[in-house]
């Protein structure tokens, strides 16, 4: 499936992901600057992305621990998600996201 990614500098690229993979892993494979310090266990917040508003409503809802991690981010927005908590599905073809700023 295709994923449209807007990087921190505003540049946009379409990358290919596979169903069953975490979005965080796919972003790192494509050399996006995603630290993923905790390795994808929803603990660090360094895999923060903004999901396009239309897509945000279509994704499975975040679990309580993801909401808690995002709540302490200085860069949280209404469409914030942790990319390690988004498992790609075929129905997500065309998903559009932006990489959130690095935490201070
Ligand atoms: S990689 Fe740490 S919260 Fe996603």
């Amino acid at each position: 499936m295709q994923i449209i990614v807007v990087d921190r500098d505003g540049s946009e690229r379409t990358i290919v992901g596979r169903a069953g993979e975490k979005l965080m892993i796919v972003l790192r494979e494509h050399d996006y600057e995603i630290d993923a310090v905790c390795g994808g266990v929803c603990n660090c917040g360094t895999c923060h992305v903004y999901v396009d508003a239309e897509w945000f409503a279509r994704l499975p809802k975040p679990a309580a621990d993801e909401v808690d991690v995002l709540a302490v981010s200085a860069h949280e927005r209404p469409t914030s998600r942790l990319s390690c908590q988004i498992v790609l599905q075929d129905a997500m073809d065309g998903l559009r996201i932006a990489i959130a700023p690095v935490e201070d």
Side-chain angles (χ1 to χ4, degrees):
M1 89 223 21
Q2 294 194 326
I3 305 162
I4 301 150
V5 183
V6 179
D7 208 348
R8 294 186 180 106
D9 63 2
S11 61
E12 184 175 310
R13 191 155 59 114
T14 300
I15 63 174
V16 175
R18 295 170 296 277
E21 277 194 320
K22 292 182 174 189
L23 176 58
M24 176 271 281
I25 298 290
V26 176
L27 293 173
R28 285 175 58 93
E29 282 177 358
H30 287 83
D31 297 327
Y32 285 99
E33 198 181 317
I34 298 280
D35 288 341
V37 173
C38 75
V41 296
C42 196
N43 199 32
C44 70
T46 60
C47 65
H48 188 174
V49 297
Y50 302 131
V51 178
D52 174 78
E54 185 181 317
W55 274 103
F56 184 85
R58 294 166 61 182
L59 296 181
K61 298 279 177 272
D65 54 349
E66 180 180 350
V67 173
D68 288 347
V69 171
L70 287 168
V72 297
S73 169
H75 303 290
E76 186 190 24
R77 292 186 192 168
T79 63
S80 286
R81 290 297 306 265
L82 297 177
S83 59
C84 71
Q85 300 302 300
I86 298 174
V87 178
L88 297 173
Q89 304 169 9
D90 288 331
M92 295 179 186
D93 185 41
L95 176 66
R96 183 181 176 88
I97 61 129
I99 310 292
V102 175
E103 293 295 331
D104 300 326

